[in-house]
Amino acid sequence: MLLFLVKYPPIVSTMVCDAGGLSAPSSAPPWAGPVLAAEILYKHDLEVEAVIPALIASIIGYSVFGAWSGWNPIFVTHGSLAFTSPPQLLYYVVLGLLCGLIGLLYARGFYGITHRFHRLRLPKWVKPGIGGLLVGLIGLVLPQALGMGYGWVQVSMGPGLLSLPLWVILALPFAKILTTGLSIGSGASGGIFGPGMVIGAMVGASVWRLCYHVLPGVPDTPGPFVIVGMMALFGGIAHAPLAVMLMVAEMTGNLSMLAPAMIAVGISSIVVGDATIYTSQVPSRADSPAHRLQLSFPLLSTLAVRQAMTPSPLQLSPQHTVGGACVLDARGNLLGVLTLADSGRVPLGERGSRRVEGAMNRDVLAIQPDDTLDVALEQLTSHRIGWMPVVEVETATGGRHLIGRISTQEIVRAYREALAKGSRRMRGLVESTVMLEAEIEPGMRLAGRPLREAQLPTESLVVSIRRQNELLFPRGSTVIEPDDLVTFLVSPSGEERLRAYLAERVERTEPILLH
């Protein structure tokens, strides 16, 4: 597990813990937690990197909880709930529409009450007291609105629903929205997932109670409507339809209602639109702080640090800004960095005698030449530094041999140069290789020559040629024509030689061969 926490960013580690905890109470294999970890962060996207570590955490949490508390599901369903009547889908369409509308009311009502409490100019310890008093008054009229509410969900799944007054069933979803907003919005502790499940369940129970013995084809038991109501309401307003469908199926130990649930959850999601119960939920990975840099500049993920770095030893020009210098041992290995801030912390009277090793910073952030520029830029911006050393790590000794430095200015320069070029770098299909895509222009050494006469640099291979709408597989006799899009496979060490080869222009004395 520690390997995943090291490999993935902290935000994924947090989701891993949540996935394990959420999956623990279910009795079926805990698939919902990993899916929730991937879905819940975004309105219209998935955090794919979270699935594998979340799956491991989910299994562990499920096993520990089951060993301690047993393996029974939270809710027990009555009888067979298999979906066998396609005309019933019309009822689930109506249920999905109602769940979407009440889901919107849940989100707006909850945050509306929360904002009103925030505007009250009262001590913070007074506000939960006011919220608790109002919740208690509601409980005197409607006791079913108090507490978690899972017990009433269980009652509503079976014949016990008929024993409840109709006004209680109809009022309970709205009362639950009110009590949740008053308790949590006033500053008390609690969550919005459990109440969301109860609200959705009671919406489904209300639809069944109003339709039973009135409309044809209504199921004999309210269980299907209650289960689908839970899925549709919270799955829509939380923008986690897949996870909530799986989670409710696990909580009830019943997978047979997934087919009508897809209809209801889909309609609920359409009704909800971009509204969400989670205010921190962003539209997509491109809007997330964890991915914004990479997805805003996708070209940076195809460029290597060695393409932008300043080689070592440094040669300063009048345009350079001096932010610090690297400190090396006799073998050229990085020991630390001495910046102007480090020098400024040395008292004036000691600057003539203080050695560099006593003033330098030994905790140095460094990067390797084959790392991509999006990683480098993220490191620089997250640590709020302007530059960092580029090192090659020696496997035998573990030493970090300095080969250059990289700064934000150099990254921007490399990005602009790459945009202006006709070549595009991609990760290779084989480990330790790079794929380079280039459009052939007149005057290039390749243009108009058979591949056998092209004199490509060593460790370079042409793997495909796209000519208009035709894909060609290269042979020695294949002639490269201007406007061809050629894909090369090259080793990282030979990439610069290939780029230099493609940048060369020659004057032709013989005619260009065209086929």
Side-chain angles (χ1 to χ4, degrees), residues 259-492:
M262 294 177 189
I263 297 291
V265 172
I267 292 176
S268 175
S269 299
I270 293 172
V271 172
V272 165
D274 286 335
T276 178
I277 194 69
Y278 295 112
T279 55
S280 298
Q281 202 174 48
V282 294
S284 67
R285 288 158 59 92
D287 302 287
S288 167
H291 301 287
R292 185 182 299 136
L293 198 60
Q294 177 184 1
L295 298 180
S296 297
F297 301 95
L299 182 59
L300 289 181
S301 64
T302 68
L303 300 175
V305 168
R306 67 170 71 250
Q307 296 175 248
M309 70 180 188
T310 300
S312 180
L314 298 178
Q315 295 181 350
L316 299 182
S317 68
Q319 290 76 29
H320 269 104
T321 57
V322 181
C326 298
V327 183
L328 311 178
D329 63 11
R331 297 182 178 180
N333 292 322
L334 181 67
L335 295 178
V337 168
L338 182 67
T339 65
L340 294 178
D342 296 327
S343 302
R345 284 191 288 268
V346 178
L348 287 175
E350 299 180 14
R351 293 185 182 180
S353 58
R354 178 74 66 89
R355 292 181 177 271
V356 169
E357 63 181 355
M360 70 180 184
N361 180 11
R362 297 179 182 273
D363 185 15
V364 181
L365 179 69
I367 197 165
Q368 298 189 46
D370 292 327
D371 289 336
T372 54
L373 289 185
D374 63 321
V375 174
L377 187 56
E378 183 177 359
Q379 294 277 7
L380 291 172
T381 54
S382 61
H383 290 83
R384 298 183 180 181
I385 55 178
W387 65 278
M388 61 181 169
V390 181
V391 298
E392 286 184 337
V393 179
E394 298 178 2
T395 307
T397 63
R400 299 192 297 175
H401 183 71
L402 180 70
I403 61 172
R405 56 178 273 171
I406 187 76
S407 67
T408 52
Q409 293 90 343
E410 289 159 343
I411 292 175
V412 172
R413 173 181 52 79
Y415 177 76
R416 289 176 176 172
E417 290 178 356
L419 285 177
K421 291 180 179 179
S423 61
R424 184 165 63 94
R425 185 181 191 266
M426 300 171 286
R427 290 182 175 88
L429 299 177
V430 183
E431 188 176 358
S432 299
T433 63
V434 172
M435 296 185 72
L436 192 69
E437 193 176 70
E439 184 176 352
I440 304 303
E441 301 174 359
M444 283 185 172
R445 292 180 60 180
L446 264 178
R449 292 183 183 274
L451 275 178
R452 67 167 66 96
E453 301 175 7
Q455 298 179 345
L456 289 173
T458 57
E459 301 181 351
S460 301
L461 177 68
V462 175
V463 294
S464 70
I465 304 167
R466 181 168 293 279
R467 182 170 297 161
Q468 296 178 352
N469 295 325
E470 184 180 4
L471 183 64
L472 306 178
F473 294 96
R475 300 179 180 178
S477 59
T478 304
V479 177
I480 307 297
E481 299 179 3
D483 298 327
D484 283 352
L485 194 62
V486 180
T487 302
F488 300 87
L489 187 66
V490 60
S491 67

Side-chain angles (χ1 to χ4, degrees), residues 70-398:
W71 308 96
N72 296 321
I74 292 179
F75 303 115
V76 178
T77 56
H78 300 270
S80 176
L81 302 182
F83 173 70
T84 58
S85 177
Q88 288 181 358
L89 290 177
L90 294 176
Y91 297 122
Y92 294 109
V93 169
V94 175
L95 181 57
L97 180 62
L98 289 175
C99 285
L101 294 173
I102 296 179
L104 287 173
L105 180 64
Y106 179 33
R108 293 172 182 173
F110 174 79
Y111 288 109
I113 295 173
T114 301
H115 293 156
R116 287 186 179 275
F117 271 105
H118 286 172
R119 287 196 293 266
L120 288 178
R121 297 183 178 180
L122 295 173
K124 290 185 177 180
W125 60 270
V126 174
K127 295 179 182 179
I130 296 175
L133 175 62
L134 295 176
V135 169
L137 293 175
I138 294 173
L140 293 176
V141 180
L142 192 64
Q144 294 85 351
L146 300 179
M148 175 68 75
Y150 279 179
W152 295 109
V153 173
Q154 181 63 69
V155 170
S156 67
M157 286 185 177
L161 181 64
L162 294 173
S163 63
L164 292 176
L166 179 60
W167 73 269
V168 171
I169 301 172
L170 296 176
L172 192 52
F174 305 99
K176 198 65 181 175
I177 293 174
L178 189 58
T179 55
T180 303
L182 289 172
S183 57
I184 302 175
S186 64
S189 61
I192 56 178
F193 174 79
M197 292 287 103
V198 176
I199 294 167
M202 299 316 297
V203 171
S206 299
V207 172
W208 183 87
R209 183 67 181 272
L210 291 173
C211 297
Y212 187 57
H213 286 165
V214 176
L215 298 177
V218 177
D220 294 332
T221 175
F225 280 28
V226 172
I227 293 173
V228 173
M230 286 193 285
M231 296 178 180
L233 189 138
F234 200 78
I237 197 61
H239 292 276
L242 298 178
V244 173
M245 282 194 294
L246 288 175
M247 188 170 295
V248 175
E250 292 174 357
M251 292 167 69
T252 58
N254 193 302
L255 296 173
S256 61
M257 298 309 300
L258 287 179
M262 294 177 189
I263 297 291
V265 172
I267 292 176
S268 175
S269 299
I270 293 172
V271 172
V272 165
D274 286 335
T276 178
I277 194 69
Y278 295 112
T279 55
S280 298
Q281 202 174 48
V282 294
S284 67
R285 288 158 59 92
D287 302 287
S288 167
H291 301 287
R292 185 182 299 136
L293 198 60
Q294 177 184 1
L295 298 180
S296 297
F297 301 95
L299 182 59
L300 289 181
S301 64
T302 68
L303 300 175
V305 168
R306 67 170 71 250
Q307 296 175 248
M309 70 180 188
T310 300
S312 180
L314 298 178
Q315 295 181 350
L316 299 182
S317 68
Q319 290 76 29
H320 269 104
T321 57
V322 181
C326 298
V327 183
L328 311 178
D329 63 11
R331 297 182 178 180
N333 292 322
L334 181 67
L335 295 178
V337 168
L338 182 67
T339 65
L340 294 178
D342 296 327
S343 302
R345 284 191 288 268
V346 178
L348 287 175
E350 299 180 14
R351 293 185 182 180
S353 58
R354 178 74 66 89
R355 292 181 177 271
V356 169
E357 63 181 355
M360 70 180 184
N361 180 11
R362 297 179 182 273
D363 185 15
V364 181
L365 179 69
I367 197 165
Q368 298 189 46
D370 292 327
D371 289 336
T372 54
L373 289 185
D374 63 321
V375 174
L377 187 56
E378 183 177 359
Q379 294 277 7
L380 291 172
T381 54
S382 61
H383 290 83
R384 298 183 180 181
I385 55 178
W387 65 278
M388 61 181 169
V390 181
V391 298
E392 286 184 337
V393 179
E394 298 178 2
T395 307
T397 63

Side-chain angles (χ1 to χ4, degrees), residues 27-46:
S27 67
W31 304 316
V35 179
L36 182 69
E39 274 191 311
I40 201 67
L41 289 178
Y42 311 115
K43 297 177 183 177
H44 312 297
D45 209 340
L46 293 173

Side-chain angles (χ1 to χ4, degrees), residues 49-66:
E49 291 89 347
V51 174
I52 298 301
L55 182 63
I56 295 175
S58 179
I59 294 294
I60 294 173
Y62 164 69
S63 301
V64 172
F65 186 91

